[in-house]
Amino acid sequence: MLNPQLRAVLEGMPKAELHIHIEGSLEPELIFALAKRNNVSLPYASVEALRAAYAFTDLQSFLDIYYAGASVLLQEQDFYDMTAAYLQRAAADNVRHAEIFFDPQTHTARGVPIKTVIDGIYRACQDSPVSATLILSFLRHLSEEDAFATLEEALPYRDKYLGIGLDSSELGNPPEKFARVFARCKELGFRLVAHAGEEGPPAYIETALDVLKVERIDHGVRCLDDAALTQRLARERIALTVCPLSNVKLCVFQHMGQHNLLELLDAGIVATVNSDDPAYFGGYMNDNFIATFEALPLGLSHAQRLARNGFTAAFLPPAEKQKFLDEVDAYFAAAAV
Ligand SMILES: [Zn+2]
């Protein structure tokens, strides 16, 4: 059992969430409500039947259900409602800043215009008290050509997202498959991130850095298999957006007690805690913090470091970043009394 005082500190501390797929925040209740509103038939009889299907064995078994859930999103208001629901939930966990991934190809492939997707998500971000920015992610199981076409379609709305990411099935889809499109995105001035080293090998983390020129690695937990890479990540202050509950749910680690978050911190890496696909993996930000602190020998100083890391690694202007870091430090100074 987690010490109640530490638990309260974790719940109340200001947080930045840097690894959240907005489509992964769709709760079964909202999936059913949107299916009804849009007359979409689902291959599940009820909310309970859908939730019961969330028994994943690996990344692919999750992705299959995740894409089925996203099929109910058709109108701008659907994207708005999904994003507003996430931001409301995040605010309840004291998330002050969120950098939200969205996967346009999941929707454009079903005939939904990219403008509908971006406008709905963006409008909800504007209406929220949480500071929220967007990262357009390419699906890596699709071709680089498809990613280029998506970028072209999205460019008229480029003032509404600040970064480019790479997600979906990692194994067999190494970062270098997207070398040219990421080079183009860098030229265009976007902030760059990529999923690497979740199920894939440490070599994928290296090519994400060296070929795609990303500034942050999403997941990256397998870096510890390579001592030189681990040292490099620490030395170059390259942040990892770690998602503990996701890692356990997708069997990257067998149980939370085996998670390497503490080893990452001890290696000097700027590790952060995030929820990934909270509706599917059993928890939002506070659930992730509580589950890791329950299972691992982590204390108050780790909590402060993780909270600071989230804002340090955020794509925020320096003054805004400092304001959040000061807020974290003031919170912990008060908590220590
Ligand atoms: Zn992810």
Side-chain angles (χ1 to χ4, degrees):
M1 260 299 282
L2 190 59
N3 163 331
Q5 207 182 346
L6 179 56
R7 185 189 177 104
V9 168
L10 292 171
E11 288 172 345
M13 70 185 188
K15 300 167 187 79
E17 172 144 61
L18 307 178
H19 187 158
I20 158 77
H21 302 270
I22 198 62
E23 295 88 349
S25 75
L26 256 185
E27 292 288 346
E29 289 77 9
L30 188 55
I31 290 177
F32 271 82
L34 294 177
K36 193 169 171 211
R37 185 157 98 190
N38 290 330
N39 270 319
V40 174
S41 67
L42 289 167
Y44 303 93
S46 64
V47 167
E48 293 69 35
L50 176 56
R51 220 182 269 283
Y54 293 1
F56 313 116
T57 50
D58 58 11
L59 181 59
Q60 196 57 51
S61 62
F62 153 67
L63 289 171
D64 294 342
I65 290 187
Y66 170 84
Y67 294 126
S71 70
V72 301
L73 297 161
L74 294 175
Q75 310 297 329
E76 186 194 315
Q77 192 62 38
D78 306 336
F79 291 92
Y80 180 95
D81 290 346
M82 167 177 68
T83 309
Y86 160 70
L87 286 167
Q88 199 176 15
R89 189 63 188 73
D93 282 3
N94 292 299
V95 172
R96 297 276 194 281
H97 175 70
E99 299 185 358
I100 301 174
F101 295 125
F102 67 105
D103 290 339
Q105 288 153 299
T106 299
H107 314 298
T108 52
R110 300 180 289 112
V112 179
I114 202 161
K115 183 180 192 307
T116 301
V117 178
I118 295 175
D119 282 355
I121 297 172
Y122 181 77
R123 190 161 57 85
C125 291
Q126 295 298 102
D127 287 351
S128 171
V130 177
S131 150
T133 50
L134 300 175
I135 298 177
L136 182 158
S137 291
F138 298 129
L139 298 177
R140 70 201 304 159
H141 65 275
L142 301 178
S143 66
E144 187 181 46
E145 198 182 2
D146 206 309
F148 263 117
T150 303
L151 178 64
E152 279 308 311
E153 276 179 77
L155 276 181
Y157 317 104
R158 66 166 297 175
D159 55 322
K160 294 182 175 162
Y161 53 97
L162 59 74
I164 298 290
L166 184 65
D167 59 19
S168 183
S169 325
E170 186 182 8
L171 287 171
N173 296 297
E176 50 271 33
K177 180 176 162 186
F178 296 89
R180 288 168 307 170
V181 74
F182 266 69
R184 178 72 186 127
C185 292
K186 191 170 168 59
E187 259 173 32
L188 288 165
F190 287 110
R191 310 300 299 255
L192 304 179
V193 299
H195 283 49
E198 176 190 12
E199 288 188 341
Y204 284 16
I205 300 175
E206 282 188 302
T207 49
L209 294 172
D210 295 334
V211 180
L212 302 189
K213 311 284 186 200
V214 303
E215 300 169 74
R216 273 193 325 236
I217 296 287
D218 297 312
H219 291 298
V221 290
R222 290 201 55 199
C223 69
L224 292 184
D225 296 350
D226 181 329
L229 174 63
T230 304
Q231 284 168 14
R232 176 186 176 188
L233 293 174
R235 192 175 59 242
E236 297 181 11
R237 308 272 302 154
I238 293 157
L240 303 186
T241 63
V242 177
C243 307
L245 284 172
S246 160
N247 289 157
V248 172
K249 202 81 176 175
L250 298 185
C251 310
V252 175
F253 298 97
Q254 291 312 308
H255 59 85
M256 198 58 90
Q258 287 184 349
H259 201 284
N260 65 11
L261 180 66
L262 180 55
E263 281 95 326
L264 293 170
L265 291 173
D266 284 345
I269 288 176
V270 184
T272 66
V273 167
N274 307 271
S275 73
D276 205 4
D277 300 282
Y280 293 89
F281 297 149
Y284 289 78
M285 283 293 267
N286 284 358
D287 303 309
N288 272 277
F289 275 102
I290 289 165
T292 38
F293 277 68
E294 249 171 5
L296 301 171
L298 295 161
L300 206 55
S301 64
H302 298 106
Q304 183 168 7
R305 192 161 151 208
L306 287 165
R308 288 187 61 93
N309 285 352
F311 294 108
T312 301
F315 295 145
L316 281 168
E320 250 176 275
K321 191 179 284 204
Q322 194 55 51
K323 184 192 73 155
F324 284 123
L325 288 169
D326 290 347
E327 199 188 326
V328 170
D329 291 343
Y331 176 85
F332 278 91
V337 175

